[in-house]
Amino acid sequence: QKEVEQDPGPLSVPEGAIVSLNCTYSNSAFQYFMWYRQYSRKGPELLMYTYSSGNKEDGRFTAQVDKSSKYISLFIRDSQPSDSATYLCAMSLRSNDYKLSFGAGTTVTVRA
Amino acid sequence: DGGITQSPKYLFRKEGQNVTLSCEQNLNHDAMYWYRQDPGQGLRLIYYSQIVNDFQKGDIAEGYSVSREKKESFPLTVTSAQKNPTAFYLCATNGGVDTQYFGPGTRLTVL
């Protein structure tokens, strides 16, 4: 069993739809959770960085962490064609940890 | 203009050759990392360095080597011992505030 599981998709939605992305994990000690966005042939860019359980909102993006279920989500509201990318979840035991555990990524296409 | 630069963007290697990938940063970050990304897999850590003149093996260090002689630079050498080197290589840094930030990547193809 992989430490972090992420539905690979691909996911195709019409412009304006809500995109829902999820990851599950097996290590209950993870405390820091990240979402990265990666455009084709580019490096990942950090979208959201959260600690422990709860919600965090940044513009059209909302990250949710449910540590009791070992489940994290990223929601994208009012999706745009520019949101078309691969989204990677990542998590770590400590802040500034050298060791990040990544999901395999979900590829999203937003159709105009 | 602050950031992480990786060069070259594309690199081709013949069988038996060693090649070196460059990673430079002007963010004044202490920690630097090398990852490998293959289709359908998460990023896998090759090597990391938390301070100049010190580095540690990650999960898949076999066939790779690094050096950290300067804070700004963390080059990765893919040696001929790496049997399946075709992949997308990513360098990352961490400034000690939150988490890791990535460079634009180098795509290595073996001919």
Side-chain angles (χ1 to χ4, degrees), chain A residues 45-95:
Chain A
E45 58 177 312
L46 183 67
L47 274 181
M48 302 289 275
Y49 176 72
T50 57
Y51 168 70
S52 197
S53 285
N55 293 359
K56 181 176 181 178
E57 191 172 315
D58 184 359
R60 295 183 296 110
F61 299 90
T62 300
Q64 288 186 350
V65 176
D66 182 347
K67 289 190 69 182
S68 63
S69 301
K70 290 186 277 189
Y71 188 89
I72 68 170
S73 300
L74 178 71
F75 298 98
I76 308 173
R77 291 184 301 280
D78 187 25
S79 58
Q80 304 294 311
S82 59
D83 295 324
S84 298
T86 296
Y87 291 81
L88 303 166
C89 65
M91 45 201 77
S92 65
L93 301 177
R94 294 168 292 274
S95 178

Side-chain angles (χ1 to χ4, degrees), chain B residues 3-58:
Chain B
I4 306 166
T5 58
Q6 290 186 242
S7 62
K9 188 173 182 179
Y10 298 98
L11 186 57
F12 298 91
R13 191 193 94 167
K14 293 181 180 178
E15 295 283 349
Q17 264 187 342
N18 291 355
V19 292
T20 297
L21 285 61
S22 169
C23 178
E24 303 277 333
Q25 55 107 353
N26 61 4
L27 301 169
N28 201 34
H29 287 179
D30 284 316
M32 298 186 73
Y33 310 81
W34 275 105
Y35 288 89
R36 169 181 172 139
Q37 186 175 33
D38 295 281
Q41 298 192 41
L43 276 65
R44 292 183 289 169
L45 182 64
I46 303 172
Y47 269 98
Y48 66 99
S49 168
Q50 294 179 303
I51 196 167
V52 174
N53 292 322
D54 186 55
F55 49 83
Q56 307 296 329
K57 292 181 179 180

Side-chain angles (χ1 to χ4, degrees), chain A:
Chain A
Q1 183 190 7
K2 290 183 180 179
E3 197 170 38
V4 180
E5 299 276 3
Q6 184 175 4
D7 185 353
L11 198 58
S12 181
V13 300
E15 185 174 357
I18 295 175
V19 177
S20 173
L21 303 166
N22 310 296
C23 287
T24 59
Y25 60 94
S26 57
N27 188 348
S28 58
F30 285 137
Q31 296 216 71
Y32 293 85
F33 304 90
M34 291 132 270
W35 286 95
Y36 289 87
R37 177 175 63 194
Q38 185 176 25
Y39 291 115
S40 181
R41 300 187 179 89
K42 303 290 186 185
E45 58 177 312
L46 183 67
L47 274 181
M48 302 289 275
Y49 176 72
T50 57
Y51 168 70
S52 197
S53 285
N55 293 359
K56 181 176 181 178
E57 191 172 315
D58 184 359
R60 295 183 296 110
F61 299 90
T62 300
Q64 288 186 350
V65 176
D66 182 347
K67 289 190 69 182
S68 63
S69 301
K70 290 186 277 189
Y71 188 89
I72 68 170
S73 300
L74 178 71
F75 298 98
I76 308 173
R77 291 184 301 280
D78 187 25
S79 58
Q80 304 294 311
S82 59
D83 295 324
S84 298
T86 296
Y87 291 81
L88 303 166
C89 65
M91 45 201 77
S92 65
L93 301 177
R94 294 168 292 274
S95 178
N96 306 312
D97 206 336
Y98 79 92
K99 173 73 173 173
L100 297 185
S101 296
F102 285 88
T106 300
T107 299
V108 174
T109 300
V110 180
R111 308 186 306 271

